Amino acid sequence: VFKSTDGGGNWSAVNNGLTHNKAYALAIDPATPDTLYAGTFGGGIFKSTDSGTTWSEVNNGLTDLYVQALAIDPLTPATVYAATSSDGVFRSTDGGENWSASNIGLTNTDVIALGVDPMTPATVYAGTNGGGVFRSTDGGGIWGPVNAGLANTVILSLAIDPASPATVYAGTEGGGVCKSTD
């Protein structure tokens, strides 16, 4: 992980305690920006509470250490979601100290992208490798496909319009960007 404090003019490594250097995902706690999470490919999740100066592994309950995306509930930042390459979505409600699988209804557990509705954070989206997009309206408790026009598509990224959260964008492999307004 590298950090810049001058808008990208200069960068410095901040890897003390980060034992796996393939960081696929980063997330910053919106309420406490000194708290960061790094999702690594093979080492699970690491957490820093000092702006990246030091990192600690936070993998209790995580069964897949290949983390491809992270998302934080903006209203309850202790709730963190992690997307893994084979075991689906994991959720922590205590700032990453403990994780539990959150996959009921998720028929494709190779999850690449996550998104949390900024106005209704119980609505969470998961983009999968070949299974399209899934949505949960209960904070990851139960998932259902929302794939009209996307079936069997690899979803590489998701973005939710902060002013109009019913608008969701999906970056796809080979299909460009898709947009849903509902």
Side-chain angles (χ1 to χ4, degrees):
V1 175
F2 287 79
K3 176 182 177 180
S4 173
T5 57
D6 61 2
N10 296 286
W11 294 89
S12 59
V14 287
N15 295 316
N16 186 21
L18 191 65
T19 58
H20 284 75
N21 288 331
K22 287 187 179 181
Y24 273 46
L26 294 171
I28 298 175
D29 181 328
T32 311
D34 289 344
T35 299
L36 298 98
Y37 299 87
T40 67
F41 205 66
I45 300 169
F46 290 80
K47 180 178 181 179
S48 173
T49 57
D50 56 10
S51 299
T53 301
T54 59
W55 296 89
S56 299
E57 187 177 295
V58 288
N59 291 329
N60 189 38
L62 197 64
T63 58
D64 184 351
L65 299 181
Y66 293 88
V67 178
Q68 303 185 112
L70 295 167
I72 298 175
D73 179 327
L75 299 181
T76 310
T79 300
V80 183
Y81 299 91
T84 67
S85 67
S86 64
D87 288 349
V89 176
F90 285 80
R91 178 179 57 196
S92 172
T93 58
D94 58 6
E97 296 304 314
N98 297 286
W99 297 91
S100 58
S102 178
N103 295 320
I104 296 173
L106 192 65
T107 57
N108 184 318
T109 56
D110 184 356
V111 181
I112 299 173
L114 291 170
V116 176
D117 182 321
M119 292 187 187
T120 311
T123 300
V124 183
Y125 297 89
T128 66
N129 184 6
V133 176
F134 289 80
R135 178 180 62 206
S136 171
T137 57
D138 62 357
I142 299 173
W143 298 90
V146 285
N147 287 320
L150 288 175
N152 299 320
T153 301
V154 175
I155 306 299
L156 299 172
S157 58
L158 292 168
I160 301 168
D161 183 336
S164 177
T167 301
V168 180
Y169 296 89
T172 69
E173 182 177 88
V177 176
C178 298
K179 175 182 177 181
S180 172
T181 57
D182 61 359

